[in-house]
Amino acid sequence: MNILFYSPTTDDVEIRLHKAIAAVTQKDDIEVYRTINSLSRRLLHSTESRVVAVLLAASREHLSELISINDMLSKASIILILPDSEPETVALGHILLPRFLSYNDSDFMDVAAVLSKMLSKGHT
């Protein structure tokens, strides 16, 4: 089963998150997207009825871009990583209806645990 991993940056946060995802799935099952356009194209051409998307919003601007494709993400079970825990940022993040919400200062052990459970249950 493929995991759609959106990360617009390649920094320490992205590396830690990628390691957490790789710990619970095979490397070949992770599809990495660096731009909203590439993620959008993938979602438009998806034949799966449900997908798991791990979305790293590195900033509020990146979060706004994700919100702009909210309709395309409606079939996805979302794990969302927010840039901060400010009430406004969290409220914006909830627009995407994530199954799980975390923050970029996390060690992502919680993300790995949630992702593992989603995968074992067929992400329904």
Side-chain angles (χ1 to χ4, degrees):
M1 175 181 314
N2 289 350
I3 309 299
L4 307 183
F5 176 43
Y6 170 75
S7 177
T9 61
T10 53
D11 57 11
D12 177 60
V13 175
E14 186 268 344
I15 292 167
R16 288 185 293 114
L17 182 56
H18 195 270
K19 284 182 182 178
I21 296 167
V24 297
T25 190
Q26 299 201 6
K27 182 180 177 182
D28 293 342
D29 293 339
I30 304 169
E31 297 177 27
V32 179
Y33 298 92
R34 299 280 181 207
T35 67
I36 287 294
N37 288 338
S38 63
L39 179 61
S40 298
R41 281 192 303 277
R42 170 57 170 87
L43 291 167
L44 283 173
H45 296 98
S46 177
T47 58
E48 301 102 343
S49 59
R50 301 286 297 170
V51 296
V52 175
V54 179
L55 308 174
L56 173 60
S59 67
R60 281 195 191 174
E61 291 171 7
H62 292 132
L63 180 57
S64 294
E65 290 177 350
L66 287 168
I67 291 169
S68 74
I69 63 164
N70 190 27
D71 289 345
M72 290 182 231
L73 289 166
S74 65
K75 290 184 181 179
S77 296
I78 297 172
I79 295 176
L80 180 62
I81 313 304
L82 293 176
D84 59 64
S85 59
E86 295 295 323
E88 182 181 338
T89 306
V90 174
L92 288 171
H94 279 290
I95 292 171
L96 296 171
L97 302 175
R99 295 281 178 115
F100 186 74
L101 191 65
S102 189
Y103 304 96
N104 67 4
D105 60 353
S106 168
D107 65 4
F108 301 123
M109 298 293 284
D110 53 353
V111 171
V114 169
L115 180 59
S116 178
K117 189 157 191 157
M118 289 170 77
L119 295 173
S120 71
K121 293 188 175 223
H123 68 290
T124 57

